[in-house]
mmCIF file of all heavy atoms in Angstrom:
data_model
loop_
_atom_site.group_PDB
_atom_site.id
_atom_site.type_symbol
_atom_site.label_atom_id
_atom_site.label_comp_id
_atom_site.label_asym_id
_atom_site.label_seq_id
_atom_site.Cartn_x
_atom_site.Cartn_y
_atom_site.Cartn_z
ATOM 1 N N TYR A 189 -1.560 243.802 -40.542
ATOM 2 C CA TYR A 189 -0.676 243.368 -39.449
ATOM 3 C C TYR A 189 -0.829 241.884 -39.265
ATOM 4 O O TYR A 189 -1.755 241.235 -39.830
ATOM 5 C CB TYR A 189 -1.112 244.087 -38.180
ATOM 6 C CG TYR A 189 -2.552 243.857 -37.744
ATOM 7 C CD1 TYR A 189 -2.894 242.752 -36.986
ATOM 8 C CD2 TYR A 189 -3.591 244.716 -38.110
ATOM 9 C CE1 TYR A 189 -4.221 242.491 -36.607
ATOM 10 C CE2 TYR A 189 -4.902 244.510 -37.687
ATOM 11 C CZ TYR A 189 -5.193 243.417 -36.938
ATOM 12 O OH TYR A 189 -6.531 243.146 -36.591
ATOM 13 N N THR A 190 0.138 241.341 -38.489
ATOM 14 C CA THR A 190 -0.029 239.935 -38.088
ATOM 15 C C THR A 190 -0.219 239.928 -36.558
ATOM 16 O O THR A 190 0.246 240.876 -35.851
ATOM 17 C CB THR A 190 1.194 239.127 -38.396
ATOM 18 O OG1 THR A 190 2.357 239.706 -37.852
ATOM 19 C CG2 THR A 190 1.362 238.980 -39.908
ATOM 20 N N LYS A 191 -0.916 238.923 -35.997
ATOM 21 C CA LYS A 191 -1.265 238.887 -34.583
ATOM 22 C C LYS A 191 -0.796 237.520 -34.031
ATOM 23 O O LYS A 191 -0.949 236.465 -34.686
ATOM 24 C CB LYS A 191 -2.736 239.087 -34.477
ATOM 25 C CG LYS A 191 -3.184 239.082 -33.010
ATOM 26 C CD LYS A 191 -4.679 239.505 -32.884
ATOM 27 C CE LYS A 191 -5.627 238.449 -33.372
ATOM 28 N NZ LYS A 191 -7.041 238.793 -32.984
ATOM 29 N N ARG A 192 -0.216 237.608 -32.823
ATOM 30 C CA ARG A 192 0.227 236.381 -32.175
ATOM 31 C C ARG A 192 -0.012 236.490 -30.673
ATOM 32 O O ARG A 192 0.327 237.504 -30.062
ATOM 33 C CB ARG A 192 1.710 236.125 -32.449
ATOM 34 C CG ARG A 192 2.243 234.874 -31.756
ATOM 35 C CD ARG A 192 3.664 234.606 -32.254
ATOM 36 N NE ARG A 192 4.584 235.705 -31.966
ATOM 37 C CZ ARG A 192 5.210 235.796 -30.767
ATOM 38 N NH1 ARG A 192 5.003 234.904 -29.785
ATOM 39 N NH2 ARG A 192 6.047 236.810 -30.510
ATOM 40 N N HIS A 193 -0.615 235.526 -30.081
ATOM 41 C CA HIS A 193 -0.855 235.488 -28.644
ATOM 42 C C HIS A 193 0.355 234.855 -27.933
ATOM 43 O O HIS A 193 0.874 233.835 -28.345
ATOM 44 C CB HIS A 193 -2.095 234.678 -28.286
ATOM 45 C CG HIS A 193 -2.361 234.642 -26.767
ATOM 46 N ND1 HIS A 193 -2.752 235.827 -26.127
ATOM 47 C CD2 HIS A 193 -2.280 233.693 -25.874
ATOM 48 C CE1 HIS A 193 -2.885 235.513 -24.821
ATOM 49 N NE2 HIS A 193 -2.584 234.228 -24.669
ATOM 50 N N ASN A 194 0.825 235.562 -26.888
ATOM 51 C CA ASN A 194 2.033 235.081 -26.154
ATOM 52 C C ASN A 194 1.486 234.446 -24.803
ATOM 53 O O ASN A 194 0.621 234.991 -24.183
ATOM 54 C CB ASN A 194 2.950 236.262 -25.865
ATOM 55 C CG ASN A 194 4.256 235.744 -25.196
ATOM 56 O OD1 ASN A 194 4.295 235.486 -24.042
ATOM 57 N ND2 ASN A 194 5.293 235.714 -25.967
ATOM 58 N N GLU A 195 2.098 233.375 -24.417
ATOM 59 C CA GLU A 195 1.692 232.628 -23.172
ATOM 60 C C GLU A 195 1.906 233.503 -21.959
ATOM 61 O O GLU A 195 1.321 233.124 -20.884
ATOM 62 C CB GLU A 195 2.486 231.306 -23.119
ATOM 63 C CG GLU A 195 3.905 231.470 -22.980
ATOM 64 C CD GLU A 195 4.641 230.125 -22.958
ATOM 65 O OE1 GLU A 195 4.016 229.059 -23.190
ATOM 66 O OE2 GLU A 195 5.886 230.162 -22.664
ATOM 67 N N ASN A 196 2.740 234.497 -22.032
ATOM 68 C CA ASN A 196 2.982 235.367 -20.889
ATOM 69 C C ASN A 196 1.950 236.431 -20.686
ATOM 70 O O ASN A 196 2.053 237.273 -19.850
ATOM 71 C CB ASN A 196 4.356 236.027 -20.960
ATOM 72 C CG ASN A 196 5.461 235.044 -20.765
ATOM 73 O OD1 ASN A 196 5.417 234.230 -19.819
ATOM 74 N ND2 ASN A 196 6.447 235.046 -21.577
ATOM 75 N N GLY A 197 0.808 236.310 -21.424
ATOM 76 C CA GLY A 197 -0.306 237.152 -21.111
ATOM 77 C C GLY A 197 -0.502 238.355 -21.967
ATOM 78 O O GLY A 197 -1.148 239.382 -21.488
ATOM 79 N N TYR A 198 0.004 238.366 -23.220
ATOM 80 C CA TYR A 198 -0.234 239.503 -24.018
ATOM 81 C C TYR A 198 -0.446 239.054 -25.468
ATOM 82 O O TYR A 198 -0.067 237.928 -25.865
ATOM 83 C CB TYR A 198 0.883 240.521 -24.013
ATOM 84 C CG TYR A 198 2.238 240.055 -24.502
ATOM 85 C CD1 TYR A 198 2.545 240.074 -25.906
ATOM 86 C CD2 TYR A 198 3.271 239.646 -23.719
ATOM 87 C CE1 TYR A 198 3.809 239.658 -26.392
ATOM 88 C CE2 TYR A 198 4.514 239.204 -24.136
ATOM 89 C CZ TYR A 198 4.730 239.228 -25.517
ATOM 90 O OH TYR A 198 5.960 238.851 -25.963
ATOM 91 N N THR A 199 -1.096 239.921 -26.215
ATOM 92 C CA THR A 199 -1.236 239.733 -27.666
ATOM 93 C C THR A 199 -0.355 240.645 -28.417
ATOM 94 O O THR A 199 -0.346 241.920 -28.142
ATOM 95 C CB THR A 199 -2.708 239.901 -28.093
ATOM 96 O OG1 THR A 199 -3.529 238.988 -27.428
ATOM 97 C CG2 THR A 199 -2.870 239.725 -29.639
ATOM 98 N N LEU A 200 0.486 240.197 -29.327
ATOM 99 C CA LEU A 200 1.453 240.978 -30.092
ATOM 100 C C LEU A 200 0.862 241.251 -31.454
ATOM 101 O O LEU A 200 0.517 240.349 -32.179
ATOM 102 C CB LEU A 200 2.782 240.207 -30.169
ATOM 103 C CG LEU A 200 3.778 240.874 -31.112
ATOM 104 C CD1 LEU A 200 4.247 242.230 -30.574
ATOM 105 C CD2 LEU A 200 4.971 239.937 -31.311
ATOM 106 N N PHE A 201 0.833 242.550 -31.809
ATOM 107 C CA PHE A 201 0.470 242.957 -33.147
ATOM 108 C C PHE A 201 1.692 243.562 -33.851
ATOM 109 O O PHE A 201 2.337 244.495 -33.389
ATOM 110 C CB PHE A 201 -0.683 244.063 -33.099
ATOM 111 C CG PHE A 201 -1.908 243.572 -32.529
ATOM 112 C CD1 PHE A 201 -2.189 243.561 -31.175
ATOM 113 C CD2 PHE A 201 -2.921 243.179 -33.407
ATOM 114 C CE1 PHE A 201 -3.423 243.099 -30.668
ATOM 115 C CE2 PHE A 201 -4.119 242.691 -32.869
ATOM 116 C CZ PHE A 201 -4.370 242.685 -31.514
ATOM 117 N N SER A 202 2.125 242.891 -34.937
ATOM 118 C CA SER A 202 3.226 243.407 -35.738
ATOM 119 C C SER A 202 2.725 244.004 -36.959
ATOM 120 O O SER A 202 2.106 243.382 -37.857
ATOM 121 C CB SER A 202 4.118 242.191 -36.121
ATOM 122 O OG SER A 202 4.702 241.616 -34.958
ATOM 123 N N LEU A 203 2.885 245.352 -37.014
ATOM 124 C CA LEU A 203 2.285 246.183 -38.119
ATOM 125 C C LEU A 203 3.256 246.152 -39.359
ATOM 126 O O LEU A 203 4.497 246.058 -39.232
ATOM 127 C CB LEU A 203 2.178 247.636 -37.686
ATOM 128 C CG LEU A 203 0.963 247.957 -36.780
ATOM 129 C CD1 LEU A 203 0.924 247.136 -35.535
ATOM 130 C CD2 LEU A 203 1.009 249.458 -36.464
ATOM 131 N N ASN A 204 2.666 246.191 -40.526
ATOM 132 C CA ASN A 204 3.429 246.328 -41.780
ATOM 133 C C ASN A 204 3.638 247.789 -42.089
ATOM 134 O O ASN A 204 3.336 248.236 -43.201
ATOM 135 C CB ASN A 204 2.698 245.593 -42.892
ATOM 136 C CG ASN A 204 2.638 244.063 -42.691
ATOM 137 O OD1 ASN A 204 3.568 243.496 -42.103
ATOM 138 N ND2 ASN A 204 1.580 243.443 -43.143
ATOM 139 N N GLY A 205 4.131 248.519 -41.153
ATOM 140 C CA GLY A 205 4.357 249.934 -41.325
ATOM 141 C C GLY A 205 4.416 250.559 -39.914
ATOM 142 O O GLY A 205 4.467 249.839 -38.911
ATOM 143 N N TYR A 206 4.498 251.904 -39.910
ATOM 144 C CA TYR A 206 4.628 252.648 -38.581
ATOM 145 C C TYR A 206 3.450 253.595 -38.426
ATOM 146 O O TYR A 206 2.908 254.144 -39.334
ATOM 147 C CB TYR A 206 5.963 253.436 -38.620
ATOM 148 C CG TYR A 206 7.121 252.579 -38.589
ATOM 149 C CD1 TYR A 206 7.702 252.056 -39.771
ATOM 150 C CD2 TYR A 206 7.791 252.229 -37.405
ATOM 151 C CE1 TYR A 206 8.806 251.214 -39.732
ATOM 152 C CE2 TYR A 206 8.893 251.358 -37.377
ATOM 153 C CZ TYR A 206 9.407 250.890 -38.580
ATOM 154 O OH TYR A 206 10.529 250.120 -38.604
ATOM 155 N N THR A 207 3.142 253.830 -37.148
ATOM 156 C CA THR A 207 2.083 254.842 -36.838
ATOM 157 C C THR A 207 2.400 255.273 -35.434
ATOM 158 O O THR A 207 3.194 254.721 -34.727
ATOM 159 C CB THR A 207 0.674 254.178 -36.919
ATOM 160 O OG1 THR A 207 -0.326 255.188 -36.684
ATOM 161 C CG2 THR A 207 0.501 253.102 -35.847
ATOM 162 N N ASP A 208 1.616 256.360 -35.012
ATOM 163 C CA ASP A 208 1.753 256.829 -33.623
ATOM 164 C C ASP A 208 0.424 256.872 -32.902
ATOM 165 O O ASP A 208 0.318 257.388 -31.799
ATOM 166 C CB ASP A 208 2.486 258.189 -33.543
ATOM 167 C CG ASP A 208 1.660 259.314 -34.156
ATOM 168 O OD1 ASP A 208 0.582 259.026 -34.732
ATOM 169 O OD2 ASP A 208 2.135 260.446 -34.125
ATOM 170 N N LYS A 209 -0.610 256.268 -33.563
ATOM 171 C CA LYS A 209 -1.937 256.288 -32.984
ATOM 172 C C LYS A 209 -2.649 254.986 -33.366
ATOM 173 O O LYS A 209 -2.503 254.570 -34.509
ATOM 174 C CB LYS A 209 -2.730 257.482 -33.516
ATOM 175 C CG LYS A 209 -4.149 257.604 -32.941
ATOM 176 C CD LYS A 209 -4.816 258.886 -33.476
ATOM 177 C CE LYS A 209 -6.264 258.976 -32.957
ATOM 178 N NZ LYS A 209 -6.965 260.205 -33.450
ATOM 179 N N ILE A 210 -3.323 254.443 -32.450
ATOM 180 C CA ILE A 210 -3.995 253.136 -32.693
ATOM 181 C C ILE A 210 -5.323 253.074 -31.915
ATOM 182 O O ILE A 210 -5.406 253.585 -30.839
ATOM 183 C CB ILE A 210 -3.109 251.941 -32.372
ATOM 184 C CG1 ILE A 210 -3.446 250.703 -33.165
ATOM 185 C CG2 ILE A 210 -3.080 251.649 -30.889
ATOM 186 C CD1 ILE A 210 -2.879 250.713 -34.589
ATOM 187 N N THR A 211 -6.316 252.404 -32.535
ATOM 188 C CA THR A 211 -7.573 252.115 -31.752
ATOM 189 C C THR A 211 -7.607 250.604 -31.553
ATOM 190 O O THR A 211 -7.447 249.816 -32.523
ATOM 191 C CB THR A 211 -8.786 252.622 -32.528
ATOM 192 O OG1 THR A 211 -8.760 254.042 -32.532
ATOM 193 C CG2 THR A 211 -10.079 252.156 -31.821
ATOM 194 N N ILE A 212 -7.881 250.198 -30.371
ATOM 195 C CA ILE A 212 -7.956 248.810 -29.988
ATOM 196 C C ILE A 212 -9.421 248.442 -29.744
ATOM 197 O O ILE A 212 -10.128 249.207 -29.092
ATOM 198 C CB ILE A 212 -7.116 248.551 -28.729
ATOM 199 C CG1 ILE A 212 -5.681 248.812 -28.906
ATOM 200 C CG2 ILE A 212 -7.322 247.149 -28.162
ATOM 201 C CD1 ILE A 212 -4.894 249.075 -27.672
ATOM 202 N N ARG A 213 -9.846 247.353 -30.330
ATOM 203 C CA ARG A 213 -11.224 246.931 -30.247
ATOM 204 C C ARG A 213 -11.326 245.619 -29.587
ATOM 205 O O ARG A 213 -10.567 244.678 -29.914
ATOM 206 C CB ARG A 213 -11.911 246.889 -31.672
ATOM 207 C CG ARG A 213 -11.966 248.251 -32.327
ATOM 208 C CD ARG A 213 -12.799 248.216 -33.597
ATOM 209 N NE ARG A 213 -12.918 249.560 -34.142
ATOM 210 C CZ ARG A 213 -12.185 249.972 -35.152
ATOM 211 N NH1 ARG A 213 -11.241 249.188 -35.707
ATOM 212 N NH2 ARG A 213 -12.333 251.190 -35.618
ATOM 213 N N VAL A 214 -12.222 245.494 -28.621
ATOM 214 C CA VAL A 214 -12.457 244.226 -27.888
ATOM 215 C C VAL A 214 -13.822 243.714 -28.273
ATOM 216 O O VAL A 214 -14.827 244.519 -28.194
ATOM 217 C CB VAL A 214 -12.388 244.474 -26.408
ATOM 218 C CG1 VAL A 214 -12.855 243.210 -25.633
ATOM 219 C CG2 VAL A 214 -10.951 244.840 -25.989
ATOM 220 N N ASN A 215 -13.957 242.496 -28.715
ATOM 221 C CA ASN A 215 -15.236 241.881 -28.976
ATOM 222 C C ASN A 215 -15.271 240.518 -28.246
ATOM 223 O O ASN A 215 -14.408 239.714 -28.443
ATOM 224 C CB ASN A 215 -15.455 241.668 -30.502
ATOM 225 C CG ASN A 215 -15.681 242.956 -31.228
ATOM 226 O OD1 ASN A 215 -16.700 243.537 -31.115
ATOM 227 N ND2 ASN A 215 -14.639 243.394 -31.958
ATOM 228 N N LYS A 216 -16.259 240.400 -27.349
ATOM 229 C CA LYS A 216 -16.373 239.212 -26.496
ATOM 230 C C LYS A 216 -17.597 238.448 -26.738
ATOM 231 O O LYS A 216 -18.586 239.024 -27.142
ATOM 232 C CB LYS A 216 -16.244 239.631 -24.965
ATOM 233 C CG LYS A 216 -14.993 240.408 -24.636
ATOM 234 C CD LYS A 216 -14.750 240.390 -23.139
ATOM 235 C CE LYS A 216 -15.679 241.367 -22.388
ATOM 236 N NZ LYS A 216 -16.904 240.807 -21.927
ATOM 237 N N SER A 217 -17.547 237.143 -26.458
ATOM 238 C CA SER A 217 -18.737 236.335 -26.699
ATOM 239 C C SER A 217 -19.646 236.279 -25.512
ATOM 240 O O SER A 217 -20.707 235.685 -25.562
ATOM 241 C CB SER A 217 -18.255 234.875 -26.992
ATOM 242 O OG SER A 217 -17.396 234.392 -25.959
ATOM 243 N N SER A 218 -19.260 236.885 -24.376
ATOM 244 C CA SER A 218 -20.092 236.884 -23.195
ATOM 245 C C SER A 218 -19.876 238.188 -22.414
ATOM 246 O O SER A 218 -19.139 239.043 -22.868
ATOM 247 C CB SER A 218 -19.649 235.686 -22.287
ATOM 248 O OG SER A 218 -18.397 235.985 -21.698
ATOM 249 N N ASN A 219 -20.606 238.236 -21.311
ATOM 250 C CA ASN A 219 -20.429 239.490 -20.458
ATOM 251 C C ASN A 219 -19.381 239.237 -19.332
ATOM 252 O O ASN A 219 -19.381 240.055 -18.356
ATOM 253 C CB ASN A 219 -21.776 239.857 -19.816
ATOM 254 C CG ASN A 219 -22.741 240.361 -20.882
ATOM 255 O OD1 ASN A 219 -22.362 241.024 -21.865
ATOM 256 N ND2 ASN A 219 -24.020 239.983 -20.735
ATOM 257 N N ASP A 220 -18.559 238.240 -19.463
ATOM 258 C CA ASP A 220 -17.522 238.045 -18.503
ATOM 259 C C ASP A 220 -16.535 239.190 -18.548
ATOM 260 O O ASP A 220 -16.339 239.839 -19.601
ATOM 261 C CB ASP A 220 -16.748 236.711 -18.764
ATOM 262 C CG ASP A 220 -17.575 235.499 -18.548
ATOM 263 O OD1 ASP A 220 -18.621 235.643 -17.856
ATOM 264 O OD2 ASP A 220 -17.208 234.400 -19.032
ATOM 265 N N THR A 221 -15.853 239.458 -17.476
ATOM 266 C CA THR A 221 -14.923 240.657 -17.356
ATOM 267 C C THR A 221 -13.567 240.391 -18.030
ATOM 268 O O THR A 221 -12.965 239.307 -17.767
ATOM 269 C CB THR A 221 -14.736 241.046 -15.867
ATOM 270 O OG1 THR A 221 -15.930 241.266 -15.281
ATOM 271 C CG2 THR A 221 -13.844 242.268 -15.770
ATOM 272 N N LEU A 222 -13.150 241.293 -18.880
ATOM 273 C CA LEU A 222 -11.823 241.266 -19.455
ATOM 274 C C LEU A 222 -11.034 242.388 -18.891
ATOM 275 O O LEU A 222 -11.544 243.556 -18.807
ATOM 276 C CB LEU A 222 -11.876 241.372 -21.017
ATOM 277 C CG LEU A 222 -10.580 241.499 -21.718
ATOM 278 C CD1 LEU A 222 -9.848 240.123 -21.659
ATOM 279 C CD2 LEU A 222 -10.769 241.927 -23.143
ATOM 280 N N TYR A 223 -9.828 242.109 -18.479
ATOM 281 C CA TYR A 223 -8.930 243.111 -17.894
ATOM 282 C C TYR A 223 -7.788 243.447 -18.844
ATOM 283 O O TYR A 223 -7.150 242.560 -19.445
ATOM 284 C CB TYR A 223 -8.322 242.593 -16.637
ATOM 285 C CG TYR A 223 -9.299 242.455 -15.496
ATOM 286 C CD1 TYR A 223 -10.104 241.287 -15.363
ATOM 287 C CD2 TYR A 223 -9.511 243.455 -14.478
ATOM 288 C CE1 TYR A 223 -11.074 241.083 -14.396
ATOM 289 C CE2 TYR A 223 -10.451 243.299 -13.527
ATOM 290 C CZ TYR A 223 -11.184 242.123 -13.409
ATOM 291 O OH TYR A 223 -12.135 242.043 -12.421
ATOM 292 N N ILE A 224 -7.522 244.643 -19.058
ATOM 293 C CA ILE A 224 -6.372 245.124 -19.826
ATOM 294 C C ILE A 224 -5.403 245.801 -18.848
ATOM 295 O O ILE A 224 -5.715 246.767 -18.133
ATOM 296 C CB ILE A 224 -6.755 246.172 -20.899
ATOM 297 C CG1 ILE A 224 -7.821 245.644 -21.807
ATOM 298 C CG2 ILE A 224 -5.510 246.714 -21.584
ATOM 299 C CD1 ILE A 224 -7.281 244.844 -23.016
ATOM 300 N N TYR A 225 -4.148 245.179 -18.737
ATOM 301 C CA TYR A 225 -3.182 245.635 -17.815
ATOM 302 C C TYR A 225 -2.283 246.751 -18.296
ATOM 303 O O TYR A 225 -1.786 247.558 -17.561
ATOM 304 C CB TYR A 225 -2.325 244.488 -17.368
ATOM 305 C CG TYR A 225 -3.092 243.283 -16.858
ATOM 306 C CD1 TYR A 225 -2.913 242.003 -17.380
ATOM 307 C CD2 TYR A 225 -4.052 243.486 -15.866
ATOM 308 C CE1 TYR A 225 -3.646 240.900 -16.925
ATOM 309 C CE2 TYR A 225 -4.783 242.379 -15.351
ATOM 310 C CZ TYR A 225 -4.600 241.127 -15.903
ATOM 311 O OH TYR A 225 -5.273 240.094 -15.445
ATOM 312 N N GLY A 226 -2.103 246.826 -19.609
ATOM 313 C CA GLY A 226 -1.212 247.855 -20.171
ATOM 314 C C GLY A 226 -0.794 247.535 -21.606
ATOM 315 O O GLY A 226 -1.201 246.515 -22.197
ATOM 316 N N PHE A 227 0.065 248.391 -22.110
ATOM 317 C CA PHE A 227 0.485 248.327 -23.533
ATOM 318 C C PHE A 227 1.960 248.551 -23.614
ATOM 319 O O PHE A 227 2.571 249.195 -22.759
ATOM 320 C CB PHE A 227 -0.276 249.402 -24.334
ATOM 321 C CG PHE A 227 -1.714 249.545 -24.014
ATOM 322 C CD1 PHE A 227 -2.215 250.395 -23.070
ATOM 323 C CD2 PHE A 227 -2.656 248.694 -24.689
ATOM 324 C CE1 PHE A 227 -3.517 250.550 -22.773
ATOM 325 C CE2 PHE A 227 -4.004 248.802 -24.347
ATOM 326 C CZ PHE A 227 -4.444 249.670 -23.399
ATOM 327 N N TYR A 228 2.520 248.050 -24.694
ATOM 328 C CA TYR A 228 3.964 248.278 -24.986
ATOM 329 C C TYR A 228 4.172 248.548 -26.418
ATOM 330 O O TYR A 228 3.759 247.762 -27.244
ATOM 331 C CB TYR A 228 4.788 246.996 -24.554
ATOM 332 C CG TYR A 228 6.257 247.217 -24.517
ATOM 333 C CD1 TYR A 228 6.924 247.558 -23.352
ATOM 334 C CD2 TYR A 228 7.019 247.117 -25.689
ATOM 335 C CE1 TYR A 228 8.323 247.706 -23.311
ATOM 336 C CE2 TYR A 228 8.421 247.308 -25.628
ATOM 337 C CZ TYR A 228 8.987 247.644 -24.415
ATOM 338 O OH TYR A 228 10.369 247.835 -24.411
ATOM 339 N N PHE A 229 4.781 249.732 -26.686
ATOM 340 C CA PHE A 229 4.974 250.170 -28.042
ATOM 341 C C PHE A 229 6.468 250.124 -28.362
ATOM 342 O O PHE A 229 7.309 250.685 -27.729
ATOM 343 C CB PHE A 229 4.474 251.623 -28.237
ATOM 344 C CG PHE A 229 2.996 251.776 -27.992
ATOM 345 C CD1 PHE A 229 2.494 252.016 -26.741
ATOM 346 C CD2 PHE A 229 2.106 251.631 -29.039
ATOM 347 C CE1 PHE A 229 1.168 252.151 -26.536
ATOM 348 C CE2 PHE A 229 0.772 251.775 -28.822
ATOM 349 C CZ PHE A 229 0.274 252.032 -27.555
ATOM 350 N N ASP A 230 6.783 249.390 -29.504
ATOM 351 C CA ASP A 230 8.166 249.191 -29.872
ATOM 352 C C ASP A 230 8.390 249.516 -31.325
ATOM 353 O O ASP A 230 7.503 249.305 -32.197
ATOM 354 C CB ASP A 230 8.614 247.791 -29.600
ATOM 355 C CG ASP A 230 10.067 247.561 -29.484
ATOM 356 O OD1 ASP A 230 10.835 248.604 -29.634
ATOM 357 O OD2 ASP A 230 10.534 246.419 -29.294
ATOM 358 N N SER A 231 9.540 250.098 -31.637
ATOM 359 C CA SER A 231 9.958 250.327 -33.049
ATOM 360 C C SER A 231 11.193 249.540 -33.428
ATOM 361 O O SER A 231 11.513 249.486 -34.600
ATOM 362 C CB SER A 231 10.231 251.845 -33.259
ATOM 363 O OG SER A 231 11.309 252.212 -32.454
#
Side-chain angles (χ1 to χ4, degrees):
Y189 61 84
T190 58
K191 181 170 72 169
R192 179 172 61 86
H193 181 68
N194 186 284
E195 63 183 9
N196 287 315
Y198 65 82
T199 299
L200 171 66
F201 294 86
S202 296
L203 282 56
N204 294 327
Y206 293 86
T207 186
D208 65 357
K209 181 178 178 180
I210 206 81
T211 294
I212 297 159
R213 297 190 175 97
V214 171
N215 289 286
K216 301 197 285 91
S217 58
S218 72
N219 292 325
D220 292 345
T221 304
L222 175 70
Y223 292 84
I224 302 275
Y225 305 127
F227 315 93
Y228 191 95
F229 297 89
D230 199 1
S231 63

